[in-house]
């Protein structure tokens, strides 16, 4: 075994043995100071909130956050200090091993209790731990500061909470309201829980994107230092108590060596997973793929831009430690060597880090066989989905730019000229001349293609339905739609300045069966949505059937008296099958997003209102790439992923109605109500008179 593993092994063993052996070690003489447990402070803050004592809410919640941070930093500091004070030497013996274990355990117990008091006081429930992980205290704080008329502090708390909960329906509009207040400046929107290594990386990318390569280099280098520091802290936190899943150690009474082995394996797995933890943004399940190698990728090109080729070569070689066969980087290395006339070496820190990671992986695989558990070796450095950005070529004919891919096609092209970032030249050139598949119905007019809409997998069509059909569906909507339908009854789910109403196909057919609306109109809604589905499927030349995922007849109405000085959106910028994260320039395909949705469409029923334009944006959720003015019979269709962030501008006067459609290529996620509606239509077409009733169970949740 590599010597580097002995500190981790000893620390893990110490934590496992502490329960058994600390009774033989003299406890701390007692701490003069006492840190109040953060779960008690948090509970007091919650109680104060529901009692309307908002000053106490602030006092307790701020104290709880401070206490939780102090507990974490103390555990890290003490574990690292005791590890350094009681190291393992080169000479191994069983007595020496347990001597170090005992001294480390005693050292950590004294160190932590001198600062925190009895450690048992700071054990919190899983529910409380999850609340702090999800930043729930900041939600209470923003509401309390709002009540106390301290908008700048409320804005900071709201922003901090929103970073980990971007899907929260009300927080986005709240932040826009804070921005409108005179006392609130942009500097107040600070993530108070930002992880230093991720913050530095994000800021470095911003400088890189605007061509400030010298500034980007400084921040990327800082991000690397902070990353490796965060890794040390993460691994130290792994040395605490572990959950022995599937084992009852009181009943089984494991032998000492079995107990050590079991615990050490779980600690090692926790330390190994720090790679994922450090690459995961708050509130997300998915990691930022290729996160650590990307630092060296960015740096090699930034150093190239400022003519520091030796450093560029060093970073390029470091990147190749993670991706040995990456062709573009191999070409870059050859280029640097040719120009410099000499070779270089990868960075020692990254080399050691990667070797340790691989050795841990081997140990876990071996340990899983011994313990009879399953461990799957993962690819922690996957380059798919990572940064596709500017590179230099091999050769001496000047430099070229690697163009990132933003659509679903597997296209990798290096071209000898600058191309707008975010667009594949091969796909864009093809799309600029491509008019799509057949539109199937007479009179349907292609207005704009993806190229015209400055994106990929987009289309704008007119005359999908007639003026008479629009009028009939609007009249239908006035009767069947209900406030908050699809949003658990929330009348204004996206903005407090508009009323939202909706209805499903099945509910409409039920109204037709009951005689509350003409069955002809209910059937029109059904058939129009099917027409839109067929057009989208045909235009995008899909090779498999496109199924309905959700069908909704919706109207948004401007609330009179609430439109002055309004600058929010009718529907905030989002993507339909992933969680848009503008700061990270990512879209996370994970719950609660509807990850199974593949294509979306909106069929408009009118245009006699003010505002309400449909907009596409870049991933930053700010830069508008295309705007669509609704009108009767107009359809906008697009793929549902992060390549197509979109939203709706504020409706400031009148009512905007449309048929909203989401589709999936996976038949497992077909809309249940649509299948029931199919049966109803089939019964209508084949049986003049039905039985004693119609089995319809409308679903009122999106």
């Amino acid at each position: 075994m590599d010597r580097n593993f002995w500190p981790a092994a000893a620390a893990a063993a110490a934590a496992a043995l502490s329960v058994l052996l600390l009774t033989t070690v003299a406890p701390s003489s007692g701490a003069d100071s006492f840190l109040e447990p953060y779960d008690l402070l948090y509970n007091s803050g919650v109680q104060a909130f529901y009692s309307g004592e908002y000053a106490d809410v602030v006092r307790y919640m701020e104290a709880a956050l401070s206490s939780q941070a102090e507990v974490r930093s103390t555990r890290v500091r003490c574990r690292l200090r005791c590890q350094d004070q009681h190291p393992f030497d080169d000479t191994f013996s069983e007595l020496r091993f347990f001597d170090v274990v005992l001294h480390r355990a005693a050292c950590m117990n004294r160190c932590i209790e001198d600062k925190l008091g009895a450690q048992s006081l700071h054990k919190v429930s899983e529910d409380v731990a999850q609340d702090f992980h999800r930043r729930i205290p900041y939600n209470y704080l923003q509401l309390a500061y709002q009540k106390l008329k301290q908008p700048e502090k409320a804005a900071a708390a709201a922003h901090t909470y929103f970073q980990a909960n971007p899907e929260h329906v009300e927080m986005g509009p709240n932040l826009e309201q804070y921005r409108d207040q005179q006392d609130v400046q942009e500097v107040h929107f600070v993530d108070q829980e930002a992880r230093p290594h991720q913050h530095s990386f994000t800021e470095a990318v911003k400088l890189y994107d605007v061509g400030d390569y010298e500034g980007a280099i400084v921040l990327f280098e800082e991000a690397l230092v902070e990353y490796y520091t965060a890794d040390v802290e993460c691994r130290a936190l792994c040395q605490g108590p572990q959950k022995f899943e599937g084992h009852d150690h009181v009943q089984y009474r494991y032998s000492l060596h079995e107990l050590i082995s079991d615990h050490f394996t779980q600690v090692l797995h926790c330390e190994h997973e720090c790679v994922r933890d450090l690459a995961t943004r708050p509130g997300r399940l998915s990691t930022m793929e290729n996160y650590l190698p990307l630092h060296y990728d960015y740096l090699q090109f930034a150093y190239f831009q400022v003519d520091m080729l030796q450093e560029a070569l060093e970073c390029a070689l470091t990147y190749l430690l993670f991706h040995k066969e990456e062709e573009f980087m191999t070409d870059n290395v050859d280029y640097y060597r040719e120009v410099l006339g000499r070779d270089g070496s990868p960075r020692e820190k990254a080399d050691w880090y990667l070797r340790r990671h691989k050795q841990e992986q081997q140990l876990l695989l071996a340990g899983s066989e011994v313990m009879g558990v399953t461990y799957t070796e993962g690819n922690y450095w996957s380059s798919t989905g990572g940064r596709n950005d500017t590179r230099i070529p091999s050769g001496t004919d000047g430099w070229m730019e690697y163009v990132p891919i933003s659509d679903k096609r597997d296209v990798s092209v290096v071209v000898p000229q600058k191309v707008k970032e975010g667009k594949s030249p091969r796909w864009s050139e093809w799309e600029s001349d491509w008019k799509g598949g057949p539109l199937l119905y007479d009179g349907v007019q292609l207005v704009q293609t993806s190229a015209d809409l400055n994106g990929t997998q987009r289309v704008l069509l007119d005359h999908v339905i007639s003026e008479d059909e629009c009028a009939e569906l609007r009249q239908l909507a006035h009767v069947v739609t209900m406030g908050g339908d699809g949003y658990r009854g929330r009348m204004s789910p996206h903005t407090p300045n508009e009323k939202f109403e909706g209805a499903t196909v099945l509910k409409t057919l039920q109204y037709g069966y009951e005689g509350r609306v003409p069955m002809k109109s209910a059937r029109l809604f059904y058939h129009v949505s099917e027409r839109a589905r067929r057009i989208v499927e045909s235009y995008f030349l899909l090779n498999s059937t496109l199924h309905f995922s959700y069908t909704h007849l919706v109207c948004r109405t401007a609330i009179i008296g609430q439109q002055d000085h309004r600058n929010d959106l009718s529907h905030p910028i989002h993507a339909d099958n992933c969680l848009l994260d503008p700061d990270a320039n990512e879209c996370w395909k994970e719950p609660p997003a509807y990850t199974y949705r593949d294509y979306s469409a909106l069929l408009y029923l009118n245009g006699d209102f003010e505002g309400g334009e449909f907009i596409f944006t870049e991933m930053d959720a700010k830069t508008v790439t295309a705007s669509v003015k609704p009108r009767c019979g107009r359809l906008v269709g697009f793929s549902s992923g992060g390549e197509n962030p979109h939203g709706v501008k504020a409706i400031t006067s009148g009512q905007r109605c449309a048929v909203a459609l989401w589709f999936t290529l996976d038949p497992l996620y077909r809309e249940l109500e649509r299948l029931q509606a199919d049966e109803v239509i089939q019964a209508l077409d084949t049986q003049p008179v039905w039985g004693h009733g119609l089995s319809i169970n409308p679903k009122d949740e999106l």
Side-chain angles (χ1 to χ4, degrees):
M1 185 186 298
D2 193 298
R3 273 180 50 195
N4 291 327
F5 285 96
W6 278 115
L17 288 169
S18 60
V19 176
L20 301 173
L21 302 177
L22 279 178
T23 56
T24 66
V25 181
S28 171
S29 59
D32 294 330
S33 60
F34 175 77
L35 184 69
E36 192 165 356
Y38 67 89
D39 59 340
L40 299 182
L41 291 165
Y42 176 57
N43 289 334
S44 297
V46 173
Q47 292 175 11
F49 179 83
Y50 288 109
S51 299
E53 302 293 336
Y54 298 111
D56 286 342
V57 173
V58 169
R59 180 165 61 88
Y60 284 124
M61 289 297 177
E62 294 284 11
L65 290 165
S66 177
S67 175
Q68 190 252 1
E70 184 61 36
V71 168
R72 183 188 187 280
S73 63
T74 298
R75 287 172 176 164
V76 170
R77 184 172 60 253
C78 290
R79 288 168 184 170
L80 294 177
R81 179 190 300 171
C82 294
Q83 180 175 301
D84 291 339
Q85 289 179 0
H86 303 282
F88 284 88
D89 54 32
D90 293 337
T91 304
F92 175 78
S93 70
E94 189 169 324
L95 286 177
R96 174 57 182 157
F97 174 77
F98 287 112
D99 178 67
V100 173
V101 167
L102 286 168
H103 279 88
R104 282 196 183 180
C107 173
M108 286 190 290
N109 194 52
R110 283 194 302 269
C111 178
I112 293 174
E113 292 198 353
D114 283 348
K115 183 67 176 178
L116 304 181
Q119 293 191 61
S120 60
L121 293 175
H122 298 281
K123 292 181 178 179
V124 302
S125 68
E126 187 65 26
D127 288 341
V128 171
Q130 282 298 314
D131 279 1
F132 275 75
H133 179 71
R134 294 169 52 218
R135 303 187 180 182
I136 301 299
Y138 287 97
N139 196 14
Y140 285 105
L141 278 172
Q142 71 100 9
L143 293 169
Y145 279 127
Q146 188 182 79
K147 294 289 186 180
L148 295 171
K149 300 189 184 307
Q150 299 181 47
E152 66 285 350
K153 292 183 177 180
H159 180 77
T160 301
Y161 175 79
F162 193 62
Q163 296 308 299
N165 301 274
E167 71 281 358
H168 194 275
V169 173
E170 297 175 354
M171 196 59 72
N174 284 357
L175 285 168
E176 293 302 322
Q177 291 178 16
Y178 290 135
R179 283 190 168 88
D180 291 341
Q181 297 189 29
Q182 187 174 1
D183 296 334
V184 179
Q185 307 296 324
E186 195 62 33
V187 294
H188 293 130
F189 295 92
V190 177
D191 183 0
Q192 297 173 313
E193 294 284 338
R195 306 178 79 175
H197 68 285
Q198 291 185 0
H199 176 73
S200 296
F201 178 78
T202 300
E203 294 303 309
V205 172
K206 291 178 181 177
L207 294 180
Y208 180 97
D209 286 341
V210 298
D212 183 358
Y213 297 108
E214 292 182 350
I217 287 170
V218 172
L219 288 181
F220 279 127
E221 296 288 9
E222 286 182 8
L224 283 171
V225 172
E226 290 162 347
Y227 178 92
Y228 291 119
T229 299
D231 177 70
V232 171
E233 294 177 354
C234 177
R235 298 171 74 86
L237 289 171
C238 286
Q239 295 170 19
Q242 296 291 318
K243 294 180 180 179
F244 294 86
E245 297 180 3
H247 301 283
D248 186 335
H249 291 275
V250 176
Q251 292 181 3
Y252 280 87
R253 300 186 184 279
Y254 273 17
S255 70
L256 179 63
H257 293 92
E258 288 173 317
L259 183 63
I260 293 172
S261 175
D262 199 349
H263 187 92
F264 171 65
T265 301
Q266 296 198 44
V267 170
L268 185 61
H269 184 269
C270 175
E271 293 179 339
H272 196 61
E273 287 296 301
C274 285
V275 173
R276 296 191 194 278
D277 177 72
L278 298 182
T280 303
R281 291 177 63 82
R284 302 276 66 84
L285 300 176
S286 306
T287 61
M288 291 179 278
E289 293 188 58
N290 206 29
Y291 180 67
L292 179 58
L294 280 179
H295 290 68
Y296 298 105
D297 186 2
Y298 275 113
L299 277 169
Q300 65 90 21
F301 189 75
Y303 277 123
F304 164 76
Q305 289 285 49
V306 298
D307 201 29
M308 298 175 66
L309 298 191
Q310 189 65 49
E311 289 79 3
L313 175 59
E314 177 185 87
C315 291
L317 289 168
T318 305
Y319 182 89
L320 287 175
L321 292 174
F322 299 90
H323 303 297
K324 296 184 184 299
E325 305 300 326
E326 195 78 73
E327 183 178 355
F328 82 87
M329 195 63 76
T330 302
D331 292 343
N332 288 359
V333 167
D334 292 341
Y335 174 82
Y336 294 138
R337 286 170 174 164
E338 180 182 344
V339 174
L340 288 169
R342 58 181 181 274
D343 204 351
S345 301
R347 293 192 178 181
E348 292 183 3
K349 184 73 173 179
D351 188 22
W352 171 84
Y353 179 87
L354 188 57
R355 282 190 292 107
R356 182 191 65 183
H357 184 81
K358 291 179 177 178
Q359 289 170 338
E360 287 174 342
Q361 208 161 34
Q362 293 172 358
L363 270 178
L364 285 168
L365 286 167
S368 66
E369 296 177 3
V370 173
M371 296 176 63
V373 298
T374 301
Y375 172 74
T376 303
E377 184 176 4
N379 182 6
Y380 289 79
W381 314 115
S382 170
S383 61
T384 59
R387 188 181 72 90
N388 292 323
D389 212 326
T390 314
R391 276 91 165 173
I392 64 169
S394 59
T396 56
D397 296 329
W399 65 276
M400 296 184 282
E401 188 164 315
Y402 180 95
V403 184
I405 309 304
S406 62
D407 57 68
K408 297 182 178 180
R409 290 156 175 77
D410 184 15
V411 183
S412 297
V413 186
V414 180
V415 292
Q417 71 274 341
K418 283 205 168 202
V419 181
K420 181 181 177 182
E421 188 172 0
K423 175 73 77 170
S424 158
R426 182 181 298 171
W427 171 233
S428 62
E429 288 169 6
W430 178 70
E431 235 186 348
S432 64
D433 298 323
W434 185 63
K435 301 305 179 183
L439 298 179
L440 301 181
Y441 296 90
D442 293 339
V444 177
Q445 177 185 351
L446 175 63
V447 179
Q448 290 182 308
T449 64
S450 295
D452 300 321
L453 293 167
N454 301 311
T456 61
Q457 297 283 280
R458 302 174 181 177
V459 67
L460 184 66
L461 306 171
D462 272 347
H463 307 304
V464 174
I465 60 177
S466 68
E467 291 284 350
D468 290 342
E469 289 172 323
C470 285
E472 187 171 353
L473 289 175
R474 289 200 306 272
Q475 184 62 38
L476 177 69
H478 294 157
V479 179
V480 300
T481 57
M482 292 182 60
D485 181 80
Y487 292 91
R488 297 180 175 88
R490 294 195 299 271
M491 298 288 289
S492 302
H494 305 300
T495 170
N497 301 307
E498 297 175 16
K499 181 175 69 173
F500 180 93
E501 299 167 294
T504 63
V505 169
L506 190 60
K507 177 184 174 182
T508 305
L509 288 171
Q510 182 186 32
Y511 270 45
Y513 173 74
E514 295 171 352
R516 300 163 70 177
V517 297
M519 181 57 78
K520 172 177 173 291
S521 299
R523 291 181 62 136
L524 177 64
F525 179 21
Y526 174 90
H527 290 300
V528 160
S529 57
E530 171 62 17
R531 187 186 310 173
R533 185 200 67 80
R534 292 191 64 208
I535 290 173
V536 171
E537 180 184 82
S538 176
Y539 178 82
F540 288 115
L541 298 175
L542 303 179
N543 294 324
S544 57
T545 302
L546 199 60
H547 305 279
F548 286 99
S549 167
Y550 196 69
T551 313
H552 216 198
L553 177 61
V554 298
C555 292
R556 303 167 185 262
T557 308
I559 298 176
I560 297 174
Q562 293 184 205
Q563 304 304 315
D564 293 342
H565 310 295
R566 181 182 172 188
N567 65 354
D568 65 340
L569 295 176
S570 173
H571 198 136
I573 304 299
H574 64 286
D576 285 343
N577 71 8
C578 52
L579 302 176
L580 191 62
D581 188 346
D583 290 337
N585 202 39
E586 292 279 1
C587 203
W588 307 104
K589 203 164 184 179
E590 61 187 44
Y594 301 97
T595 57
Y596 48 83
R597 291 177 175 172
D598 295 298
Y599 284 86
S600 309
L602 289 158
L603 175 59
Y604 299 108
L605 306 182
N606 67 316
D608 55 341
F609 50 85
E610 295 181 11
E613 292 88 350
F614 177 93
I615 54 174
F616 287 111
T617 73
E618 298 282 8
M619 289 280 282
D620 62 6
K622 296 178 181 178
T623 307
V624 176
T625 57
S627 179
V628 174
K629 176 65 177 175
R631 56 181 288 185
C632 167
R634 172 163 287 180
L635 181 144
V636 58
F638 50 94
S639 56
S640 303
E643 67 278 5
N644 282 319
H646 58 278
V648 180
K649 289 187 176 181
I651 299 164
T652 55
S653 177
Q655 184 182 66
R656 174 188 189 269
C657 294
V659 176
L661 302 151
W662 293 271
F663 306 107
T664 178
L665 294 169
D666 189 341
L668 292 176
Y669 292 98
R670 288 178 294 178
E671 181 183 10
L672 177 60
E673 285 198 25
R674 187 76 193 195
L675 297 177
Q676 293 175 298
D678 292 341
E679 294 177 358
V680 171
I681 292 296
Q682 185 178 12
L684 281 171
D685 290 341
T686 58
Q687 300 177 18
V689 180
W690 296 351
H692 297 292
L694 182 62
S695 178
I696 294 180
N697 180 26
K699 178 182 176 184
D700 195 32
E701 293 184 2
L702 177 57

